[in-house]
Amino acid sequence: MPMQTTKEQVRELLDHLPDHATLNDVMYEIYVKQKIERGMQASREGRVTPHNEVRKRYLDHSR
């Protein structure tokens, strides 16, 4: 399956939003999509922090 262009991705996103969606809704959806894509890329590259380490850091800082 060929990669979608950015324009195609935005069109697909718009097609899934309700007709009454605002520009803020569109920008939020693009923001979330970018964050997910960056996280998935980081995961593929091994740039992740294991859950137990995050939990330990959080618990250590909350005390």
Tab-separated table of all heavy atoms in Angstrom:
chain	number	residue	atom	x	y	z
A	1	MET	N	0.840	-1.172	0.000
A	1	MET	CA	0.000	0.000	0.000
A	1	MET	C	0.891	1.242	0.000
A	1	MET	O	1.741	1.398	0.874
A	1	MET	CB	-0.903	-0.017	1.233
A	1	MET	CG	-1.832	1.167	1.313
A	1	MET	SD	-3.171	0.872	2.477
A	1	MET	CE	-2.619	1.836	3.845
A	2	PRO	N	0.721	2.140	-0.970
A	2	PRO	CA	1.562	3.327	-1.036
A	2	PRO	C	1.271	4.298	0.102
A	2	PRO	O	0.159	4.343	0.635
A	2	PRO	CB	1.212	3.953	-2.393
A	2	PRO	CG	-0.092	3.356	-2.795
A	2	PRO	CD	-0.219	2.053	-2.067
A	3	MET	N	2.289	5.057	0.478
A	3	MET	CA	2.132	6.054	1.535
A	3	MET	C	1.179	7.151	1.075
A	3	MET	O	1.203	7.560	-0.072
A	3	MET	CB	3.489	6.688	1.858
A	3	MET	CG	4.489	5.749	2.481
A	3	MET	SD	4.210	5.502	4.229
A	3	MET	CE	4.536	7.118	4.861
A	4	GLN	N	0.343	7.604	1.985
A	4	GLN	CA	-0.554	8.715	1.687
A	4	GLN	C	0.222	10.022	1.774
A	4	GLN	O	1.097	10.170	2.624
A	4	GLN	CB	-1.688	8.783	2.709
A	4	GLN	CG	-2.756	7.760	2.565
A	4	GLN	CD	-3.862	8.002	3.587
A	4	GLN	OE1	-3.593	8.121	4.767
A	4	GLN	NE2	-5.078	8.094	3.108
A	5	THR	N	-0.119	10.954	0.907
A	5	THR	CA	0.462	12.279	1.032
A	5	THR	C	-0.185	12.973	2.226
A	5	THR	O	-1.238	12.544	2.717
A	5	THR	CB	0.216	13.120	-0.235
A	5	THR	OG1	-1.195	13.368	-0.360
A	5	THR	CG2	0.747	12.430	-1.480
A	6	THR	N	0.450	14.034	2.675
A	6	THR	CA	-0.112	14.806	3.785
A	6	THR	C	-1.506	15.298	3.425
A	6	THR	O	-2.436	15.244	4.242
A	6	THR	CB	0.804	15.992	4.127
A	6	THR	OG1	2.087	15.473	4.490
A	6	THR	CG2	0.250	16.821	5.264
A	7	LYS	N	-1.659	15.748	2.198
A	7	LYS	CA	-2.955	16.257	1.749
A	7	LYS	C	-4.024	15.162	1.823
A	7	LYS	O	-5.154	15.401	2.267
A	7	LYS	CB	-2.815	16.766	0.314
A	7	LYS	CG	-3.887	17.682	-0.148
A	7	LYS	CD	-3.496	18.207	-1.539
A	7	LYS	CE	-4.300	19.416	-1.906
A	7	LYS	NZ	-3.900	19.964	-3.205
A	8	GLU	N	-3.667	13.962	1.430
A	8	GLU	CA	-4.615	12.840	1.495
A	8	GLU	C	-4.957	12.506	2.943
A	8	GLU	O	-6.111	12.193	3.256
A	8	GLU	CB	-4.030	11.620	0.789
A	8	GLU	CG	-3.938	11.768	-0.709
A	8	GLU	CD	-3.104	10.676	-1.370
A	8	GLU	OE1	-2.218	10.097	-0.712
A	8	GLU	OE2	-3.345	10.417	-2.559
A	9	GLN	N	-3.964	12.569	3.814
A	9	GLN	CA	-4.209	12.293	5.230
A	9	GLN	C	-5.169	13.319	5.831
A	9	GLN	O	-6.068	12.959	6.597
A	9	GLN	CB	-2.897	12.302	6.006
A	9	GLN	CG	-1.987	11.139	5.692
A	9	GLN	CD	-0.669	11.234	6.422
A	9	GLN	OE1	-0.526	11.947	7.408
A	9	GLN	NE2	0.333	10.522	5.934
A	10	VAL	N	-4.989	14.580	5.471
A	10	VAL	CA	-5.869	15.634	5.993
A	10	VAL	C	-7.278	15.461	5.448
A	10	VAL	O	-8.262	15.601	6.179
A	10	VAL	CB	-5.302	17.036	5.669
A	10	VAL	CG1	-6.309	18.128	5.991
A	10	VAL	CG2	-4.005	17.270	6.427
A	11	ARG	N	-7.389	15.119	4.179
A	11	ARG	CA	-8.723	14.892	3.603
A	11	ARG	C	-9.437	13.747	4.323
A	11	ARG	O	-10.630	13.839	4.616
A	11	ARG	CB	-8.613	14.588	2.112
A	11	ARG	CG	-8.393	15.800	1.265
A	11	ARG	CD	-8.511	15.482	-0.217
A	11	ARG	NE	-8.310	16.685	-0.983
A	11	ARG	CZ	-7.455	16.802	-1.970
A	11	ARG	NH1	-6.712	15.774	-2.344
A	11	ARG	NH2	-7.323	17.935	-2.624
A	12	GLU	N	-8.706	12.677	4.592
A	12	GLU	CA	-9.295	11.543	5.294
A	12	GLU	C	-9.736	11.947	6.701
A	12	GLU	O	-10.819	11.581	7.148
A	12	GLU	CB	-8.294	10.395	5.370
A	12	GLU	CG	-8.859	9.128	5.959
A	12	GLU	CD	-7.870	7.981	5.898
A	12	GLU	OE1	-7.269	7.772	4.834
A	12	GLU	OE2	-7.707	7.318	6.937
A	13	LEU	N	-8.907	12.722	7.381
A	13	LEU	CA	-9.254	13.203	8.712
A	13	LEU	C	-10.521	14.042	8.643
A	13	LEU	O	-11.432	13.868	9.454
A	13	LEU	CB	-8.091	14.040	9.262
A	13	LEU	CG	-8.258	14.610	10.645
A	13	LEU	CD1	-6.933	14.559	11.379
A	13	LEU	CD2	-8.769	16.020	10.618
A	14	LEU	N	-10.598	14.953	7.679
A	14	LEU	CA	-11.774	15.815	7.540
A	14	LEU	C	-13.032	15.004	7.251
A	14	LEU	O	-14.111	15.325	7.742
A	14	LEU	CB	-11.555	16.846	6.427
A	14	LEU	CG	-10.528	17.931	6.721
A	14	LEU	CD1	-10.278	18.774	5.481
A	14	LEU	CD2	-10.960	18.792	7.886
A	15	ASP	N	-12.890	13.949	6.457
A	15	ASP	CA	-14.041	13.111	6.122
A	15	ASP	C	-14.618	12.418	7.351
A	15	ASP	O	-15.792	12.064	7.366
A	15	ASP	CB	-13.662	12.061	5.072
A	15	ASP	CG	-13.457	12.652	3.690
A	15	ASP	OD1	-13.922	13.790	3.448
A	15	ASP	OD2	-12.826	11.979	2.851
A	16	HIS	N	-13.793	12.216	8.381
A	16	HIS	CA	-14.254	11.521	9.585
A	16	HIS	C	-14.772	12.466	10.671
A	16	HIS	O	-15.283	12.006	11.688
A	16	HIS	CB	-13.135	10.633	10.138
A	16	HIS	CG	-12.884	9.440	9.280
A	16	HIS	ND1	-11.968	9.449	8.247
A	16	HIS	CD2	-13.449	8.227	9.269
A	16	HIS	CE1	-11.979	8.274	7.656
A	16	HIS	NE2	-12.872	7.513	8.257
A	17	LEU	N	-14.617	13.768	10.458
A	17	LEU	CA	-15.127	14.734	11.437
A	17	LEU	C	-16.564	15.111	11.096
A	17	LEU	O	-16.949	15.095	9.925
A	17	LEU	CB	-14.261	16.000	11.435
A	17	LEU	CG	-12.872	15.863	12.050
A	17	LEU	CD1	-12.076	17.146	11.838
A	17	LEU	CD2	-12.965	15.549	13.528
A	18	PRO	N	-17.342	15.475	12.098
A	18	PRO	CA	-18.716	15.909	11.816
A	18	PRO	C	-18.714	17.227	11.027
A	18	PRO	O	-17.750	17.995	11.073
A	18	PRO	CB	-19.337	16.098	13.196
A	18	PRO	CG	-18.200	16.200	14.146
A	18	PRO	CD	-17.033	15.501	13.524
A	19	ASP	N	-19.783	17.478	10.313
A	19	ASP	CA	-19.891	18.691	9.497
A	19	ASP	C	-19.787	19.959	10.335
A	19	ASP	O	-19.363	20.993	9.829
A	19	ASP	CB	-21.203	18.709	8.708
A	19	ASP	CG	-21.217	17.687	7.588
A	19	ASP	OD1	-20.121	17.256	7.161
A	19	ASP	OD2	-22.319	17.317	7.141
A	20	HIS	N	-20.159	19.901	11.590
A	20	HIS	CA	-20.117	21.086	12.444
A	20	HIS	C	-18.771	21.266	13.163
A	20	HIS	O	-18.646	22.133	14.035
A	20	HIS	CB	-21.266	21.057	13.463
A	20	HIS	CG	-21.173	19.896	14.409
A	20	HIS	ND1	-21.680	18.651	14.092
A	20	HIS	CD2	-20.622	19.781	15.635
A	20	HIS	CE1	-21.449	17.834	15.098
A	20	HIS	NE2	-20.813	18.486	16.048
A	21	ALA	N	-17.755	20.491	12.785
A	21	ALA	CA	-16.439	20.603	13.422
A	21	ALA	C	-15.854	21.993	13.180
A	21	ALA	O	-16.009	22.571	12.107
A	21	ALA	CB	-15.500	19.537	12.878
A	22	THR	N	-15.184	22.506	14.195
A	22	THR	CA	-14.561	23.826	14.105
A	22	THR	C	-13.107	23.682	13.646
A	22	THR	O	-12.552	22.576	13.625
A	22	THR	CB	-14.577	24.524	15.472
A	22	THR	OG1	-13.727	23.783	16.372
A	22	THR	CG2	-15.984	24.631	16.032
A	23	LEU	N	-12.492	24.816	13.332
A	23	LEU	CA	-11.071	24.792	12.994
A	23	LEU	C	-10.249	24.296	14.179
A	23	LEU	O	-9.261	23.583	14.003
A	23	LEU	CB	-10.583	26.180	12.567
A	23	LEU	CG	-10.992	26.618	11.176
A	23	LEU	CD1	-10.544	28.054	10.918
A	23	LEU	CD2	-10.404	25.702	10.128
A	24	ASN	N	-10.669	24.641	15.384
A	24	ASN	CA	-9.978	24.138	16.577
A	24	ASN	C	-10.067	22.622	16.656
A	24	ASN	O	-9.104	21.958	17.050
A	24	ASN	CB	-10.538	24.771	17.848
A	24	ASN	CG	-10.050	26.184	18.055
A	24	ASN	OD1	-9.018	26.575	17.512
A	24	ASN	ND2	-10.779	26.947	18.838
A	25	ASP	N	-11.213	22.049	16.293
A	25	ASP	CA	-11.368	20.591	16.265
A	25	ASP	C	-10.387	19.975	15.277
A	25	ASP	O	-9.734	18.970	15.568
A	25	ASP	CB	-12.797	20.195	15.879
A	25	ASP	CG	-13.842	20.622	16.888
A	25	ASP	OD1	-13.517	20.756	18.083
A	25	ASP	OD2	-14.999	20.828	16.465
A	26	VAL	N	-10.282	20.583	14.102
A	26	VAL	CA	-9.381	20.078	13.062
A	26	VAL	C	-7.936	20.151	13.536
A	26	VAL	O	-7.177	19.181	13.417
A	26	VAL	CB	-9.567	20.865	11.740
A	26	VAL	CG1	-8.534	20.446	10.710
A	26	VAL	CG2	-10.978	20.691	11.200
A	27	MET	N	-7.551	21.287	14.104
A	27	MET	CA	-6.176	21.453	14.581
A	27	MET	C	-5.855	20.463	15.700
A	27	MET	O	-4.755	19.900	15.743
A	27	MET	CB	-5.942	22.887	15.044
A	27	MET	CG	-5.938	23.869	13.887
A	27	MET	SD	-5.449	25.553	14.293
A	27	MET	CE	-6.587	25.995	15.580
A	28	TYR	N	-6.827	20.232	16.583
A	28	TYR	CA	-6.617	19.272	17.665
A	28	TYR	C	-6.410	17.865	17.105
A	28	TYR	O	-5.508	17.145	17.540
A	28	TYR	CB	-7.808	19.284	18.630
A	28	TYR	CG	-7.687	18.239	19.706
A	28	TYR	CD1	-6.832	18.425	20.790
A	28	TYR	CD2	-8.409	17.054	19.630
A	28	TYR	CE1	-6.702	17.463	21.768
A	28	TYR	CE2	-8.277	16.085	20.611
A	28	TYR	CZ	-7.424	16.285	21.671
A	28	TYR	OH	-7.290	15.320	22.626
A	29	GLU	N	-7.213	17.480	16.137
A	29	GLU	CA	-7.085	16.146	15.539
A	29	GLU	C	-5.726	15.976	14.859
A	29	GLU	O	-5.101	14.918	14.961
A	29	GLU	CB	-8.210	15.894	14.545
A	29	GLU	CG	-9.583	15.768	15.180
A	29	GLU	CD	-9.733	14.567	16.084
A	29	GLU	OE1	-9.124	13.511	15.816
A	29	GLU	OE2	-10.470	14.681	17.078
A	30	ILE	N	-5.269	17.014	14.177
A	30	ILE	CA	-3.954	16.957	13.535
A	30	ILE	C	-2.861	16.844	14.593
A	30	ILE	O	-1.928	16.048	14.464
A	30	ILE	CB	-3.733	18.182	12.625
A	30	ILE	CG1	-4.666	18.091	11.405
A	30	ILE	CG2	-2.271	18.288	12.183
A	30	ILE	CD1	-4.712	19.337	10.554
A	31	TYR	N	-2.990	17.618	15.662
A	31	TYR	CA	-2.025	17.583	16.763
A	31	TYR	C	-1.936	16.176	17.361
A	31	TYR	O	-0.842	15.629	17.546
A	31	TYR	CB	-2.435	18.600	17.825
A	31	TYR	CG	-1.680	18.502	19.120
A	31	TYR	CD1	-0.411	19.043	19.250
A	31	TYR	CD2	-2.242	17.864	20.227
A	31	TYR	CE1	0.285	18.957	20.442
A	31	TYR	CE2	-1.556	17.769	21.419
A	31	TYR	CZ	-0.292	18.322	21.527
A	31	TYR	OH	0.390	18.219	22.711
A	32	VAL	N	-3.082	15.585	17.651
A	32	VAL	CA	-3.112	14.245	18.242
A	32	VAL	C	-2.502	13.228	17.281
A	32	VAL	O	-1.692	12.383	17.678
A	32	VAL	CB	-4.551	13.848	18.643
A	32	VAL	CG1	-4.632	12.380	19.023
A	32	VAL	CG2	-5.047	14.729	19.783
A	33	LYS	N	-2.853	13.319	16.014
A	33	LYS	CA	-2.312	12.392	15.005
A	33	LYS	C	-0.785	12.494	14.943
A	33	LYS	O	-0.090	11.480	14.907
A	33	LYS	CB	-2.927	12.690	13.646
A	33	LYS	CG	-2.483	11.760	12.542
A	33	LYS	CD	-3.261	12.046	11.266
A	33	LYS	CE	-2.817	11.220	10.090
A	33	LYS	NZ	-2.746	9.803	10.307
A	34	GLN	N	-0.259	13.724	14.971
A	34	GLN	CA	1.191	13.918	14.947
A	34	GLN	C	1.845	13.310	16.179
A	34	GLN	O	2.895	12.672	16.079
A	34	GLN	CB	1.545	15.401	14.870
A	34	GLN	CG	1.310	16.023	13.523
A	34	GLN	CD	1.632	17.506	13.540
A	34	GLN	OE1	1.430	18.195	14.536
A	34	GLN	NE2	2.135	18.012	12.429
A	35	LYS	N	1.255	13.533	17.342
A	35	LYS	CA	1.823	12.997	18.580
A	35	LYS	C	1.858	11.467	18.556
A	35	LYS	O	2.839	10.847	18.967
A	35	LYS	CB	1.034	13.484	19.799
A	35	LYS	CG	1.243	14.933	20.112
A	35	LYS	CD	2.657	15.167	20.573
A	35	LYS	CE	2.851	16.571	21.081
A	35	LYS	NZ	4.212	16.804	21.551
A	36	ILE	N	0.783	10.866	18.065
A	36	ILE	CA	0.731	9.404	17.983
A	36	ILE	C	1.786	8.894	17.010
A	36	ILE	O	2.506	7.934	17.306
A	36	ILE	CB	-0.680	8.933	17.583
A	36	ILE	CG1	-1.655	9.208	18.731
A	36	ILE	CG2	-0.673	7.453	17.189
A	36	ILE	CD1	-3.112	9.006	18.374
A	37	GLU	N	1.896	9.540	15.856
A	37	GLU	CA	2.887	9.108	14.865
A	37	GLU	C	4.306	9.237	15.412
A	37	GLU	O	5.140	8.351	15.207
A	37	GLU	CB	2.737	9.917	13.576
A	37	GLU	CG	1.493	9.534	12.801
A	37	GLU	CD	1.237	10.419	11.588
A	37	GLU	OE1	1.975	11.414	11.390
A	37	GLU	OE2	0.298	10.115	10.840
A	38	ARG	N	4.587	10.328	16.127
A	38	ARG	CA	5.915	10.498	16.720
A	38	ARG	C	6.187	9.440	17.784
A	38	ARG	O	7.290	8.916	17.896
A	38	ARG	CB	6.056	11.895	17.318
A	38	ARG	CG	6.197	12.962	16.265
A	38	ARG	CD	6.361	14.323	16.872
A	38	ARG	NE	6.383	15.337	15.827
A	38	ARG	CZ	6.023	16.581	16.004
A	38	ARG	NH1	5.631	17.007	17.181
A	38	ARG	NH2	6.077	17.435	15.000
A	39	GLY	N	5.183	9.127	18.582
A	39	GLY	CA	5.336	8.090	19.597
A	39	GLY	C	5.567	6.722	18.987
A	39	GLY	O	6.395	5.949	19.479
A	40	MET	N	4.849	6.428	17.916
A	40	MET	CA	5.032	5.140	17.237
A	40	MET	C	6.439	5.044	16.631
A	40	MET	O	7.081	4.005	16.709
A	40	MET	CB	3.968	4.947	16.151
A	40	MET	CG	2.552	4.883	16.677
A	40	MET	SD	2.255	3.495	17.775
A	40	MET	CE	2.326	2.158	16.618
A	41	GLN	N	6.916	6.149	16.051
A	41	GLN	CA	8.273	6.171	15.485
A	41	GLN	C	9.312	5.982	16.583
A	41	GLN	O	10.253	5.213	16.425
A	41	GLN	CB	8.527	7.489	14.734
A	41	GLN	CG	9.871	7.556	14.044
A	41	GLN	CD	10.027	6.554	12.931
A	41	GLN	OE1	9.073	6.229	12.232
A	41	GLN	NE2	11.220	6.038	12.763
A	42	ALA	N	9.125	6.655	17.698
A	42	ALA	CA	10.050	6.494	18.827
A	42	ALA	C	10.064	5.055	19.309
A	42	ALA	O	11.124	4.500	19.620
A	42	ALA	CB	9.657	7.433	19.971
A	43	SER	N	8.903	4.428	19.351
A	43	SER	CA	8.806	3.030	19.771
A	43	SER	C	9.560	2.119	18.806
A	43	SER	O	10.304	1.235	19.227
A	43	SER	CB	7.333	2.618	19.865
A	43	SER	OG	7.232	1.265	20.222
A	44	ARG	N	9.371	2.355	17.507
A	44	ARG	CA	10.078	1.539	16.502
A	44	ARG	C	11.593	1.686	16.634
A	44	ARG	O	12.340	0.754	16.377
A	44	ARG	CB	9.638	1.926	15.092
A	44	ARG	CG	8.256	1.427	14.716
A	44	ARG	CD	7.967	1.620	13.241
A	44	ARG	NE	7.825	3.017	12.894
A	44	ARG	CZ	6.704	3.728	12.969
A	44	ARG	NH1	5.586	3.152	13.388
A	44	ARG	NH2	6.672	4.991	12.621
A	45	GLU	N	12.036	2.880	17.054
A	45	GLU	CA	13.464	3.151	17.199
A	45	GLU	C	13.999	2.767	18.578
A	45	GLU	O	15.178	2.968	18.863
A	45	GLU	CB	13.735	4.628	16.921
A	45	GLU	CG	13.439	5.019	15.486
A	45	GLU	CD	13.494	6.522	15.250
A	45	GLU	OE1	13.745	7.286	16.220
A	45	GLU	OE2	13.284	6.929	14.095
A	46	GLY	N	13.132	2.249	19.433
A	46	GLY	CA	13.558	1.833	20.762
A	46	GLY	C	13.722	2.982	21.738
A	46	GLY	O	14.304	2.814	22.809
A	47	ARG	N	13.211	4.154	21.400
A	47	ARG	CA	13.312	5.322	22.274
A	47	ARG	C	12.077	5.386	23.166
A	47	ARG	O	11.249	6.270	23.048
A	47	ARG	CB	13.445	6.606	21.451
A	47	ARG	CG	14.709	6.674	20.632
A	47	ARG	CD	14.869	7.980	19.852
A	47	ARG	NE	13.833	8.093	18.827
A	47	ARG	CZ	12.905	9.042	18.791
A	47	ARG	NH1	12.832	9.955	19.723
A	47	ARG	NH2	12.020	9.077	17.810
A	48	VAL	N	11.981	4.433	24.082
A	48	VAL	CA	10.832	4.352	24.980
A	48	VAL	C	11.323	4.126	26.402
A	48	VAL	O	12.444	3.688	26.619
A	48	VAL	CB	9.866	3.208	24.564
A	48	VAL	CG1	9.254	3.496	23.210
A	48	VAL	CG2	10.574	1.879	24.543
A	49	THR	N	10.461	4.428	27.347
A	49	THR	CA	10.750	4.183	28.757
A	49	THR	C	9.756	3.136	29.243
A	49	THR	O	8.554	3.325	29.099
A	49	THR	CB	10.595	5.480	29.574
A	49	THR	OG1	11.435	6.486	29.004
A	49	THR	CG2	10.970	5.258	31.021
A	50	PRO	N	10.254	2.036	29.796
A	50	PRO	CA	9.352	0.993	30.285
A	50	PRO	C	8.380	1.529	31.342
A	50	PRO	O	8.719	2.431	32.126
A	50	PRO	CB	10.294	-0.043	30.901
A	50	PRO	CG	11.618	0.224	30.270
A	50	PRO	CD	11.654	1.695	29.994
A	51	HIS	N	7.196	0.977	31.370
A	51	HIS	CA	6.133	1.412	32.275
A	51	HIS	C	6.583	1.386	33.732
A	51	HIS	O	6.334	2.327	34.481
A	51	HIS	CB	4.892	0.534	32.073
A	51	HIS	CG	3.764	0.904	32.973
A	51	HIS	ND1	3.513	0.236	34.131
A	51	HIS	CD2	2.843	1.896	32.885
A	51	HIS	CE1	2.478	0.787	34.731
A	51	HIS	NE2	2.046	1.801	33.998
A	52	ASN	N	7.257	0.326	34.125
A	52	ASN	CA	7.671	0.217	35.530
A	52	ASN	C	8.669	1.311	35.910
A	52	ASN	O	8.660	1.796	37.037
A	52	ASN	CB	8.228	-1.169	35.849
A	52	ASN	CG	9.431	-1.538	35.020
A	52	ASN	OD1	9.675	-0.957	33.959
A	52	ASN	ND2	10.181	-2.520	35.466
A	53	GLU	N	9.506	1.758	34.969
A	53	GLU	CA	10.440	2.841	35.260
A	53	GLU	C	9.710	4.178	35.392
A	53	GLU	O	10.019	4.985	36.261
A	53	GLU	CB	11.502	2.936	34.165
A	53	GLU	CG	12.611	3.904	34.503
A	53	GLU	CD	13.726	3.899	33.473
A	53	GLU	OE1	14.036	2.826	32.924
A	53	GLU	OE2	14.269	4.987	33.230
A	54	VAL	N	8.740	4.421	34.533
A	54	VAL	CA	7.941	5.647	34.629
A	54	VAL	C	7.203	5.666	35.962
A	54	VAL	O	7.171	6.682	36.653
A	54	VAL	CB	6.945	5.757	33.455
A	54	VAL	CG1	5.994	6.923	33.650
A	54	VAL	CG2	7.689	5.876	32.137
A	55	ARG	N	6.625	4.537	36.313
A	55	ARG	CA	5.893	4.440	37.575
A	55	ARG	C	6.814	4.727	38.760
A	55	ARG	O	6.462	5.479	39.663
A	55	ARG	CB	5.278	3.047	37.688
A	55	ARG	CG	4.408	2.838	38.873
A	55	ARG	CD	3.752	1.462	38.804
A	55	ARG	NE	3.061	1.154	40.005
A	55	ARG	CZ	1.820	1.529	40.295
A	55	ARG	NH1	1.142	2.222	39.416
A	55	ARG	NH2	1.260	1.210	41.434
A	56	LYS	N	8.017	4.153	38.734
A	56	LYS	CA	8.973	4.370	39.812
A	56	LYS	C	9.346	5.851	39.902
A	56	LYS	O	9.366	6.425	40.982
A	56	LYS	CB	10.231	3.530	39.584
A	56	LYS	CG	11.270	3.660	40.670
A	56	LYS	CD	12.485	2.795	40.347
A	56	LYS	CE	13.554	2.876	41.402
A	56	LYS	NZ	14.092	4.178	41.663
A	57	ARG	N	9.629	6.481	38.749
A	57	ARG	CA	9.980	7.906	38.749
A	57	ARG	C	8.838	8.743	39.317
A	57	ARG	O	9.056	9.661	40.097
A	57	ARG	CB	10.274	8.380	37.332
A	57	ARG	CG	11.587	7.916	36.785
A	57	ARG	CD	11.779	8.516	35.418
A	57	ARG	NE	12.793	7.816	34.667
A	57	ARG	CZ	13.069	8.048	33.397
A	57	ARG	NH1	12.390	8.969	32.735
A	57	ARG	NH2	14.014	7.374	32.796
A	58	TYR	N	7.626	8.434	38.905
A	58	TYR	CA	6.467	9.200	39.369
A	58	TYR	C	6.284	9.034	40.866
A	58	TYR	O	6.082	10.011	41.585
A	58	TYR	CB	5.204	8.755	38.626
A	58	TYR	CG	3.970	9.433	39.132
A	58	TYR	CD1	3.692	10.752	38.808
A	58	TYR	CD2	3.083	8.767	39.969
A	58	TYR	CE1	2.565	11.394	39.290
A	58	TYR	CE2	1.951	9.397	40.455
A	58	TYR	CZ	1.702	10.701	40.114
A	58	TYR	OH	0.589	11.330	40.597
A	59	LEU	N	6.380	7.818	41.338
A	59	LEU	CA	6.171	7.570	42.762
A	59	LEU	C	7.287	8.201	43.591
A	59	LEU	O	7.042	8.714	44.682
A	59	LEU	CB	6.078	6.074	43.034
A	59	LEU	CG	4.807	5.398	42.499
A	59	LEU	CD1	4.877	3.888	42.714
A	59	LEU	CD2	3.557	5.978	43.146
A	60	ASP	N	8.518	8.193	43.072
A	60	ASP	CA	9.642	8.805	43.791
A	60	ASP	C	9.476	10.319	43.912
A	60	ASP	O	9.828	10.917	44.907
A	60	ASP	CB	10.967	8.495	43.094
A	60	ASP	CG	11.415	7.052	43.285
A	60	ASP	OD1	10.818	6.346	44.123
A	60	ASP	OD2	12.332	6.613	42.564
A	61	HIS	N	8.894	10.943	42.873
A	61	HIS	CA	8.729	12.403	42.867
A	61	HIS	C	7.485	12.846	43.638
A	61	HIS	O	7.404	14.002	44.047
A	61	HIS	CB	8.659	12.937	41.439
A	61	HIS	CG	9.989	12.966	40.782
A	61	HIS	ND1	10.384	11.975	39.926
A	61	HIS	CD2	11.006	13.838	40.861
A	61	HIS	CE1	11.607	12.238	39.500
A	61	HIS	NE2	12.011	13.365	40.046
A	62	SER	N	6.540	11.969	43.825
A	62	SER	CA	5.300	12.375	44.501
A	62	SER	C	5.409	12.269	46.022
A	62	SER	O	4.486	12.647	46.718
A	62	SER	CB	4.123	11.530	43.988
A	62	SER	OG	4.295	10.179	44.356
A	63	ARG	N	6.501	11.792	46.504
A	63	ARG	CA	6.677	11.636	47.958
A	63	ARG	C	7.350	12.814	48.562
A	63	ARG	O	8.018	13.588	48.100
A	63	ARG	CB	7.460	10.368	48.262
A	63	ARG	CG	6.665	9.149	47.891
A	63	ARG	CD	7.439	7.913	48.187
A	63	ARG	NE	6.619	6.805	47.709
A	63	ARG	CZ	7.053	5.588	47.597
A	63	ARG	NH1	8.264	5.285	47.928
A	63	ARG	NH2	6.278	4.645	47.166
